[in-house]
Amino acid sequence: MDAGLCALGAGIAVGLGSLCSIGEGLVCSHAIDGMARNPEMVGQLRSNMIVAVALCESTAIYSLVVAILIIFLMGMPALAA
Amino acid sequence: MSVLNVYERTLTSASASSFEEKMATMFHWDGWESIDAPLLTSLIVMVILAILGIIIGVKARIGLKKKTYLKKPKGIMFLAEIYYNTCNNFAVSNMGEERITWGGYFWTLLAYLFLAFTISLFAFPSLVDWLACPLCLAIIMFTIIQVKGIKYSKFGYFKRFTEPIFIFLPINLVTFWAPLISTTMRMFGNALSGTILIGLIQWVLGNLSSNIFVSMGIAGTIQTSAAWSVFWNQPWTWTSIFLSPIPVGILQIYFSLFSGFIQTLVFASLSAIWISQEMPSGASEKKEAGVEQAMVKE
């Protein structure tokens, strides 16, 4: 297997995974809308927002794990060979 | 998120033996060097938590005997009471009023996980980016979910695999493992991304620093011992350590404290939600049914 193709695959995986930032932006914007409408709920909304953002982020992290697997399991042997 | 860790692991993965050889040497004691460093970190975390627990328990018993528990708590007892109440409130707000005894699970989980994330700030080898740690925590959570599911919904537990119709069985068997894999990968990937980012920045800043010194005419002696060649088996000199400490320290604090706190919270709330899904709120339902029956009788 070509090491360059492995690098390309890892890059594509991380690049597509970073699309989850759109979802994070939606979560944050709606949470801030809610905070502006309902200022006495700020604390609860903020903690919920952080949890929801971390949940959205997990899809990006999956793609990162896949990229790392590609690099270390396929790319490194290809480089060594 | 120690960088040394990554370096050592790349070395070992390059010269990894086959599965049969590993199985043959599994029960053979090779001395302390053969133990994975994160395993020792995990044991240290557990020892710290056990000592804290023993101190708090002894103090609580002394307070109970001397009747000083009615007074305002001080020092470590104050913190322990705050933590106890926080965990119980977490269980109540996520799982319902009658699940207050589940605070004990969150007591252990939150303490272990947060300490596992932050222990790398004290120069211990990083623990959470060692796949066994998040995997074991996820397996504990997964087992609790399935046991509670069987206990509360009896045969309905097996019926859910064929819903809505029987053809969905393979899909349901795949989604069955989703909680396990997603929680493991979430924590592992988060910690690993921190490790890799810190490693990359240390590498770049080290090269930049040594290049600045080279342009001034100072080359420095090349160190090739394991402690110096920090990343990717690269020879380092003493000139390369001048730029990295502050950015790397800030990143360490971000990935250990902030990211670790958020991941701890996410893991705890997800497990609370999944476990409480399996346990229908029996007490309140019975009460409502009783009220309805009473109304019917009237």
Side-chain angles (χ1 to χ4, degrees):
Chain A
M1 180 120 14
D2 199 355
L5 282 179
C6 291
L8 207 63
I12 289 171
V14 169
L16 285 182
S18 69
L19 284 178
C20 85
S21 57
I22 297 169
E24 282 181 37
L26 282 175
V27 169
C28 286
S29 76
H30 284 123
I32 289 168
D33 276 357
M35 285 178 199
R37 278 200 204 115
N38 213 348
E40 60 269 24
M41 293 279 287
V42 165
Q44 208 180 344
L45 278 176
R46 192 189 292 126
S47 58
N48 280 342
M49 180 189 83
I50 287 172
V51 170
V53 163
L55 276 180
C56 291
E57 212 173 56
S58 62
T59 54
I61 287 167
Y62 299 155
S63 68
L64 174 86
V65 170
V66 168
I68 288 165
L69 285 180
I70 290 174
I71 290 173
F72 277 84
L73 293 186
M74 298 161 82
M76 299 281 270
L79 266 181
Chain B
M1 323 283 145
S2 160
V3 184
L4 274 172
N5 236 347
V6 168
Y7 166 67
E8 278 164 13
R9 255 176 266 164
T10 48
L11 269 192
T12 48
S13 69
S15 63
S17 51
S18 69
F19 182 70
E20 286 81 13
E21 285 174 8
K22 271 187 182 167
M23 288 305 285
T25 56
M26 208 170 136
F27 300 106
H28 175 71
W29 177 249
D30 279 335
W32 289 101
E33 290 84 9
S34 65
I35 293 184
D36 276 353
L39 184 62
L40 287 180
T41 316
S42 175
L43 288 176
I44 288 167
V45 168
M46 287 178 204
V47 166
I48 291 171
L49 286 180
I51 290 172
L52 272 179
I54 289 169
I55 289 173
I56 290 167
V58 167
K59 279 205 169 190
R61 261 148 231 250
I62 290 172
L64 199 65
K65 210 172 244 177
K66 289 185 180 173
K67 305 274 181 198
T68 53
Y69 62 90
L70 297 171
K71 289 178 194 163
K72 211 157 65 173
K74 273 188 292 186
I76 194 170
M77 295 305 291
F78 180 61
L79 292 176
E81 283 190 19
I82 287 179
Y83 187 53
Y84 176 79
N85 279 332
T86 313
C87 290
N88 279 358
N89 287 338
F90 187 84
V92 165
S93 64
N94 280 306
M95 302 174 76
E97 200 65 52
E98 69 271 17
R99 306 281 178 234
I100 194 164
T101 47
W102 278 84
Y105 174 61
F106 297 113
W107 205 108
T108 328
L109 185 71
L110 291 172
Y112 177 79
L113 205 48
F114 187 60
L115 204 57
F117 267 106
T118 44
I119 194 102
S120 59
L121 277 181
F122 304 102
F124 285 102
S126 166
L127 176 54
V128 190
D129 63 347
W130 184 53
L131 186 56
C133 168
L135 184 64
C136 286
L137 288 171
I139 285 174
I140 292 171
M141 183 200 75
F142 189 70
T143 317
I144 292 174
I145 293 171
Q146 306 311 327
V147 167
K148 288 291 165 191
I150 293 176
K151 193 181 166 193
Y152 277 86
S153 50
K154 305 277 190 289
F155 286 107
Y157 173 80
F158 300 103
K159 202 182 160 192
R160 81 178 64 163
F161 289 111
T162 58
E163 276 174 356
I165 47 172
F166 188 76
I167 304 167
F168 280 75
L169 179 66
I171 299 171
N172 284 331
L173 278 179
V174 172
T175 51
F176 173 74
W177 298 101
L180 183 63
I181 295 168
S182 73
T183 43
T184 314
M185 283 299 143
R186 184 177 297 120
M187 266 196 298
F188 174 69
N190 227 301
L192 197 65
S193 69
T195 310
I196 287 172
L197 263 179
I198 289 171
L200 277 177
I201 283 175
Q202 183 158 10
W203 179 57
V204 167
L205 288 181
N207 277 348
L208 195 66
S209 171
S210 69
N211 283 349
I212 289 170
F213 273 92
V214 164
S215 71
M216 280 163 23
I218 306 165
T221 47
I222 291 173
Q223 311 279 334
T224 45
S225 65
W228 276 87
S229 47
V230 177
F231 201 63
W232 298 131
N233 201 8
Q234 205 153 40
W236 274 45
T237 64
W238 62 268
T239 54
S240 57
I241 59 167
F242 287 96
L243 282 178
S244 51
I246 290 170
V248 168
I250 291 169
L251 276 179
Q252 281 262 10
I253 288 171
Y254 171 79
F255 280 113
S256 291
L257 283 177
F258 182 71
S259 182
F261 178 70
I262 288 175
Q263 287 307 311
T264 310
L265 210 64
V266 166
F267 184 85
S269 34
L270 275 181
S271 60
I273 289 163
W274 276 327
I275 292 170
S276 64
Q277 262 181 1
E278 301 295 338
M279 303 195 297
S281 50
S284 57
E285 272 179 12
K286 270 177 198 167
K287 265 182 204 165
E288 283 171 12
V291 169
E292 275 173 13
Q293 279 177 358
M295 286 174 75
V296 167
K297 273 177 191 171
E298 279 173 5

